[in-house]
Amino acid sequence: MDPQYQPDKIEREAQSHWQVTGAFRAVEDPSRPKYYCLSMFPYPSGKLHMGHVRNYTIGDVLTRYYRMRGRNVLQPMGWDAFGLPAENAAIANGQPPAQWTYENIAYMKRQLQSLGFALDWDRELATCDPNYYRWNQWLFLRMLEKGIVYKKTGVVNWDPVDQTVLANEQVIDGRGWRTGALIEKREIPMYYMRITAYAEELLAALDTLPGWPERVKLMQANWIGKSYGVNFAFPYELGGEKRAMRVFTTRADTVMGVTFCAVAAEHPLAEAAANRDAKVAAFVEECKRGSVMEADLATIEKQGVPTGIFVTHPLTSEQIEVWVGNYVLMGYGEGAVMGVPAHDERDFAFAKKYGLPITPVIDVGGKPFSTDAWQSWYADYGICVNSGKYDGLDYEAATDAIAADLRKLGLGDKQVQWRLRDWGISRQRYWGTPIPIVHCEACGDVPVPDDALPVVLPEDCVPDGSGNPLAKRADFVNAPCPRCGKPARRETDTMDTFVDSSWYYVRYCCADNPRSMVDERVAYWMAVDQYIGGIEHAILHLLYSRFWTKVMRDLGLMGMDEPFTNLLTQGMVLNEIFFRRAESGRITYYNPTEVELRTDEAGKRVGAVLKADGQPVDSDGIGTMSKSKNNGVDPQALIERYGADTARFFIIFASPPEDTLLWSDAGVEGASRFLRRLWGFACAQAQRIQLQHAQGTGSQFDWGNVAPAQREVRREVHLNLNKANYDLQRVQFNTVASATMKMLNALERLPATVEAGRGYAPSGTVYDRIVYEGMCILLRVLHPICPHITHVLWGELGFAGEIMNAPWPEVDELALEQDEIALVVQVNGKLRGEIRVPKDADRAAIERAALAHDTVRKHTEDKQVKKVVVVPGRLVNVVV
RNA sequence: GCCCGGGUGGCGAAACUGGUAGACGCAAGGGACUUAAAAUCCCUAGCCCGCAAGGGCGUGCAGGUUCGAUUCCUGCUCCGGGCACCA
């Protein structure tokens, strides 16, 4: 056995052993309980970053742990290979996205393999492979047939200089990232998936997911946003024509306080007003500038103009003026809102700004209302006042009465409203799944027949940032109409990449099937037992995946209702973001490894400079490691210097999986030291352990009369095994790593000789037994985290079989027992001392011992003891 | 702006269901070994007062509940994630 721990050597050997034996190939076996462990597949951005290492190490720990627990495990891997960065790379270096993507996949695959993950590479898939995305197209057509896919217009960011649609990320302060041009909103036709048809089920089924974090379920529930309210109309006349402006409100009890209404710039009323009033027209134009992002819309200053058009209040017949407001969204609800400034903060600010009347109609516990400044209680529920026949009613009664009256008038009724909107999947981009539609002048939008699938994306395009590259490809665009055969044009939009990731976990089960999207193997593996990925996917990706699962179920393709039984949302790996802004406004990001921090004499940070030119760079704070912010850290250097086991141990040890982790490699040294120490200890004990094998390990040993100093070490080992079991079950792995360190610390402290003559078992024999048992436990507990070193040591020390298939160790409950326990003594909650009592001491004896303690006596002697609280096994609190 | 999290020594963190705050590590200081360095091993360590015994303070801030609060409640503050075309 090599006295030196050489990670590069042993890791290479272990990995090639696993490869040769096909150790991680998953085979369906109905006789064994399966465990499908899935980590979110990576976007092939070029190199792995620490977030990937963290994500996949967590998944690997679970996979290897459950394998040792006897489950038939599947842990696959693939590539989320379509997307914007490939096109950006093409713009930057002229390389076709396909080539760039495949090169990145090859490099990152080698990186993943070097980390020793127990992945079944036979099931590898890439979403940019026609054999994968043809099923996106196939299912799209099924959804089209069912009416789940439909076409309508949607709003996009339009860069007027590049003549192209920009992603939200490419709009910076309302300007195009490359051109600096002011961005405009533009309406274009798009395909939508009717996720709102599943809103009710998506919301209700959250209750069937006990294995999901509460916070994720809460976020999804809020996102779906079911609200109960009243939808009603304000009638009006325009150009002699009778019409109605519909609004939705969750506060029908405040309808009597309406003093104005506001509509979105795209609302028909706004358009009508713009036609006859230049001021309105100018404002409507202004509203069209800027991005479509909700965060931007929510933070802009609320502005509006009066349209000069009045609508009739349905209950009071009062004339109410309609305004155009830049904060009203056409895409949400009716594109019009009622204004009740006395009880809605946004309306209040708007009314103050434009001098509109503010009429309180709700009394909240008699508190005095003033129009001077908004108070948060103005929005509270209360009793109607100033509301005519509704005076004195509470929220529910008033809502019922008002809804009933509106119903009688035929102007409105109660309605359930959803915040969730249908999912627009059309993207005006090249590197994505082609939408399988042909546009024919005679036949309209014609679906591509199934036998003509897949519609293959040409892989030699090099986008240049202007327009849509597919539209420029005559060989792609020109196609005969599938229906009439006349020349027609292919759809050039591609699908949102969230489509790709909405069902890839299904395809892993049958990735080699060229004839159908799913097969019977799906029923064996699905649902995913444990899904692991970043918290940033808490809403969109996870909601879309749940939606697709339900659609596939309703199409008869799968049986399950929900795709992911247990969800672990990994915290983000963060790093500082450094950048410079050029005069043109263009921003360049610099990797933290290229930046040097400047500090003053006291060690306080005073600035940061680029190592290359010594000139200052700005900090944009701390953020998730990403390609776009160039703040990722390549784990390669770490792996090469210390080995995969150290990298894995360190990232697991650094913090609990769900916590955010601010990257720093301080502490890697400690992980490496631990593994070297473990190797050294194993070397030193190898002969002794071999001897135990030779003597037969199956024989029972009587641990009853072992000297306390040795018994304490064995207790420590089993205590930490117990702790590791608990922490594995609650997915807190950092303390599992700690437990393995504590076990080694204990074994190293194990005394070889103890005081003789007390009838204890011979200390030399006990020493050998504890070391043998201790290493047998320690290696197995450590194996999921550090598979290579434990694989090798398991073999070197002569333990049977392969450690990856060894059964998980059992806690010996007797080893945990102690004769005497220590109790803490407090006086008035303050720690004053410690007493030792027999483990079965009764309450009275504990109280006596506590009151007899010197320090306790000092703090109680001139006072009256009111009460003594005894917490068994923990503490005694004397209250005076 | 809205929704969801988080804040504990110089640093990463631990603390089972309200019961000894700081386990396990990193960095640091002191020592041993060595011609020297690396590696390794031993010791110290939340902050303040004290030679010590001991005492006071301490889990972002301000309150509350409790014999007892990092843990429960209220308000605030800072940081992170999401906000529908980054993935």
Side-chain angles (χ1 to χ4, degrees):
Chain A
M1 190 174 171
D2 199 326
Q4 281 291 311
Y5 171 49
Q6 292 176 280
D8 49 340
K9 180 166 161 273
I10 66 159
E11 287 176 6
R12 227 180 9 252
E13 284 169 9
Q15 284 163 16
S16 73
H17 171 78
W18 292 326
Q19 198 177 355
V20 167
T21 57
F24 308 128
R25 194 174 300 135
V27 180
E28 295 73 21
D29 176 359
S31 71
R32 290 170 63 205
K34 58 96 187 180
Y35 184 77
Y36 183 0
C37 183
L38 178 70
S39 291
M40 289 180 185
F41 63 170
Y43 179 80
S45 58
K47 299 166 179 173
L48 291 185
H49 58 66
M50 285 301 164
H52 295 128
V53 177
R54 191 181 195 198
N55 196 155
Y56 304 140
T57 303
I58 294 167
D60 205 47
V61 168
L62 283 160
T63 301
R64 290 177 178 273
Y65 172 64
Y66 278 100
R67 182 182 184 118
M68 294 171 82
R69 285 280 193 193
R71 307 282 278 273
N72 185 25
V73 296
L74 164 61
Q75 185 180 223
M77 186 49 73
W79 309 95
D80 189 13
F82 274 140
L84 204 51
E87 296 192 43
N88 293 340
I91 294 168
N93 54 36
Q95 209 179 357
Q99 189 195 340
W100 182 84
T101 302
Y102 288 123
E103 283 172 14
N104 289 349
I105 287 174
Y107 181 79
M108 291 170 74
K109 184 173 178 180
R110 281 200 303 278
Q111 287 191 300
L112 286 175
Q113 286 169 327
S114 77
L115 280 158
F117 296 132
L119 294 164
D120 181 356
W121 285 105
D122 290 355
R123 295 168 187 262
E124 179 182 7
L125 59 80
T127 56
C128 63
D129 181 343
N131 292 319
Y132 182 80
Y133 66 69
R134 69 175 297 168
W135 303 111
N136 287 348
Q137 296 173 343
W138 184 82
L139 202 79
F140 173 92
L141 295 174
R142 299 293 84 73
M143 288 163 86
L144 194 64
E145 288 161 7
K146 288 264 180 187
I148 302 169
V149 161
Y150 66 98
K151 202 175 183 184
K152 70 167 182 179
T153 62
V155 187
V156 294
N157 300 304
W158 180 254
D159 184 322
V161 174
D162 264 347
Q163 294 284 299
T164 190
V165 175
L166 295 184
N168 284 337
E169 164 182 80
Q170 297 171 315
V171 179
I172 297 155
D173 300 332
R175 292 172 182 274
W177 66 318
R178 298 175 69 235
T179 62
L182 279 173
I183 295 308
E184 300 164 10
K185 296 189 188 77
R186 183 174 271 213
E187 285 206 66
I188 58 167
M190 303 208 286
Y191 287 95
Y192 282 80
M193 290 188 178
R194 215 180 288 280
I195 191 172
T196 52
Y198 286 82
E200 190 78 66
E201 191 190 347
L202 287 167
L203 179 65
L206 289 172
D207 290 337
T208 69
L209 297 171
W212 280 43
E214 284 306 318
R215 59 168 162 160
V216 173
K217 290 191 275 187
L218 197 53
M219 279 191 262
Q220 292 217 347
N222 289 338
W223 183 262
I224 295 167
K226 185 177 190 175
S227 58
Y228 300 88
V230 173
N231 185 308
F232 68 100
F234 289 84
Y236 65 98
E237 267 192 44
L238 195 68
E241 204 181 325
K242 280 196 196 309
R243 300 198 203 176
M245 182 190 79
R246 299 207 72 89
V247 301
F248 172 83
T249 178
T250 56
R251 289 301 301 270
D253 60 324
T254 67
V255 165
M256 301 303 277
V258 170
T259 59
F260 67 95
C261 282
V263 297
E266 298 84 7
H267 192 277
L269 259 173
E271 282 169 19
N275 286 337
R276 54 185 218 189
D277 183 338
K279 261 199 215 139
V280 176
F283 184 74
V284 165
E285 270 314 300
E286 203 185 307
C287 286
K288 285 185 180 163
R289 277 207 293 278
S291 84
V292 300
M293 289 168 71
E294 193 190 301
D296 290 343
L297 293 170
T299 48
I300 49 167
E301 201 196 340
K302 310 289 172 281
Q303 290 186 323
V305 291
T307 59
I309 297 173
F310 287 78
V311 294
T312 306
H313 192 292
L315 300 174
T316 66
S317 299
E318 220 180 314
Q319 291 300 292
I320 307 283
E321 181 158 31
V322 176
W323 288 59
V324 182
N326 64 352
Y327 62 96
V328 186
L329 300 178
M330 197 59 211
Y332 185 45
E334 302 284 354
V337 294
M338 66 178 198
V340 185
H343 304 293
D344 179 282
E345 185 169 8
R346 205 168 45 179
D347 295 344
F348 184 89
F350 195 82
K352 290 284 275 188
K353 179 167 181 166
Y354 295 108
L356 299 167
I358 298 171
T359 316
V361 291
I362 301 291
D363 177 74
V364 181
K367 287 193 222 173
F369 186 96
S370 156
T371 59
D372 293 345
W374 174 259
Q375 305 289 328
S376 58
W377 63 264
Y378 290 178
D380 289 353
Y381 293 139
I383 302 299
C384 291
V385 292
N386 242 331
S387 302
K389 62 184 278 204
Y390 309 111
D391 280 357
L393 298 181
D394 65 10
Y395 168 76
E396 271 175 54
T399 302
D400 287 345
I402 286 168
D405 288 346
L406 287 166
R407 186 161 56 236
K408 267 183 237 148
L409 294 164
L411 289 174
D413 208 336
K414 285 193 180 177
Q415 192 199 25
V416 172
Q417 176 91 353
W418 302 91
R419 206 188 80 94
L420 182 68
R421 307 199 294 260
D422 277 337
W423 174 16
I425 59 143
S426 295
R427 296 290 179 271
Q428 298 68 46
R429 307 219 197 293
Y430 157 62
W431 193 232
T433 303
I435 292 177
I437 295 285
V438 173
H439 302 289
C440 170
E441 271 186 27
C443 311
D445 299 344
V446 182
V448 174
D450 286 357
D451 58 17
L453 294 183
V455 175
V456 176
L457 188 71
E459 293 202 344
D460 53 355
C461 275
V462 184
D464 61 7
S466 69
N468 179 344
L470 272 188
K472 300 172 192 167
R473 289 283 297 243
D475 59 341
F476 178 82
V477 172
N478 297 323
C481 170
R483 197 162 294 163
C484 68
K486 289 197 194 117
R489 287 176 61 82
R490 256 185 221 293
E491 170 69 50
T492 57
D493 279 1
T494 53
M495 295 185 198
D496 181 4
T497 55
F498 273 125
V499 169
D500 309 329
S501 55
S502 288
W503 70 283
Y504 72 106
Y505 47 88
V506 177
R507 189 64 184 170
Y508 280 138
C509 303
C510 56
D512 57 0
N513 190 332
R515 289 173 311 280
S516 64
M517 187 176 186
V518 294
D519 63 31
E520 71 287 348
R521 291 172 289 176
V522 170
Y524 177 75
W525 292 113
M526 286 295 289
V528 174
D529 293 277
Q530 180 68 62
Y531 195 32
I532 306 143
I535 181 67
E536 74 274 23
H537 294 294
I539 298 176
L540 292 179
H541 162 62
L542 290 169
L543 194 63
Y544 292 147
S545 296
R546 296 181 60 219
F547 164 63
W548 263 63
T549 296
K550 290 172 194 304
V551 170
M552 287 178 73
R553 176 200 62 193
D554 290 349
L555 289 167
L557 296 166
M558 295 198 296
M560 86 282 320
D561 296 317
E562 288 286 338
F564 313 122
T565 308
N566 293 291
L567 174 69
L568 172 64
T569 46
Q570 173 206 216
M572 312 256 56
V573 181
L574 308 179
N575 207 354
E576 190 155 1
I577 301 161
F578 295 102
F579 73 102
R580 278 184 194 153
R581 192 191 288 267
E583 272 176 38
S584 66
R586 193 163 164 180
I587 290 173
T588 310
Y589 289 97
Y590 297 98
N591 195 276
T593 54
E594 302 170 58
V595 172
E596 197 176 300
L597 299 179
R598 289 282 157 91
T599 52
D600 64 16
E601 300 97 53
K604 217 177 129 189
R605 167 136 165 222
V606 290
V609 298
L610 194 65
K611 284 175 188 165
D613 60 15
Q615 297 301 303
V617 289
D618 292 322
S619 172
D620 191 22
I622 303 213
T624 158
M625 284 190 183
S626 74
K627 183 95 180 162
S628 59
K629 296 286 171 73
N630 190 16
N631 65 336
V633 171
D634 184 1
Q636 203 56 40
L638 195 65
I639 299 166
E640 278 163 21
R641 174 138 183 229
Y642 294 98
D645 281 339
T646 294
R648 295 169 58 121
F649 187 91
F650 172 63
I651 201 140
I652 287 294
F653 183 69
S655 89
E658 308 223 57
D659 285 14
T660 55
L661 173 59
L662 181 53
W663 179 251
S664 154
D665 56 12
V668 177
E669 207 47 71
S672 172
R673 194 174 297 148
F674 167 63
L675 296 183
R676 285 199 302 271
R677 208 147 57 81
L678 176 67
W679 185 273
F681 185 76
C683 275
Q685 304 292 348
Q687 275 198 324
R688 190 173 268 119
I689 291 169
Q690 297 284 7
L691 202 65
Q692 289 286 312
H693 288 302
Q695 290 168 355
T697 55
S699 62
Q700 286 296 309
F701 187 78
D702 178 14
W703 295 101
N705 66 336
V706 168
Q710 293 188 321
R711 217 168 108 192
E712 192 46 45
V713 170
R714 181 160 186 265
R715 179 168 182 267
E716 186 77 7
V717 169
H718 282 270
L719 214 50
N720 279 297
L721 171 58
N722 203 31
K723 166 84 175 151
N725 285 340
Y726 177 74
D727 289 338
L728 281 159
Q729 164 263 121
R730 63 171 178 154
V731 219
Q732 182 176 287
F733 299 152
N734 55 327
T735 44
V736 176
S738 294
T740 63
M741 286 176 142
K742 288 181 186 177
M743 285 185 202
L744 183 60
N745 288 348
L747 290 173
E748 285 185 332
R749 279 196 309 265
L750 177 65
T753 53
V754 293
E755 71 275 42
R758 293 271 202 82
Y760 295 134
S763 54
T765 311
V766 173
Y767 184 93
D768 293 354
R769 297 294 309 195
I770 293 178
V771 165
Y772 175 86
E773 184 200 46
M775 282 303 278
C776 190
I777 292 173
L778 166 55
L779 289 179
R780 282 181 288 169
V781 175
L782 183 60
H783 180 255
I785 303 172
C786 300
H788 308 89
I789 187 173
T790 49
H791 169 85
V792 171
L793 289 180
W794 186 262
E796 293 282 358
L797 295 179
F799 291 109
E802 292 202 31
I803 193 170
M804 59 180 277
N805 296 318
W808 192 254
E810 304 267 354
V811 177
D812 179 356
E813 297 291 338
L814 288 174
L816 304 180
E817 283 183 8
Q818 352 174 51
D819 300 334
E820 216 183 35
I821 51 171
L823 289 182
V824 157
V825 186
Q826 299 179 332
V827 177
N828 282 352
K830 276 194 197 299
L831 179 67
R832 294 301 175 189
E834 194 182 280
I835 53 172
R836 298 191 69 84
V837 296
K839 69 173 178 204
D840 45 8
D842 65 7
R843 207 191 143 87
I846 292 172
E847 252 181 62
R848 267 198 312 280
L851 290 169
H853 189 276
D854 282 352
T855 322
V856 175
R857 288 229 307 270
K858 214 169 84 188
H859 287 270
T860 54
E861 56 193 358
D862 50 348
K863 294 171 188 109
Q864 180 88 38
V865 174
K866 279 201 265 184
K867 181 166 146 190
V868 180
V869 182
V870 178
V871 182
R874 292 220 165 259
L875 56 68
V876 183
N877 189 12
V878 181
V879 185
V880 296

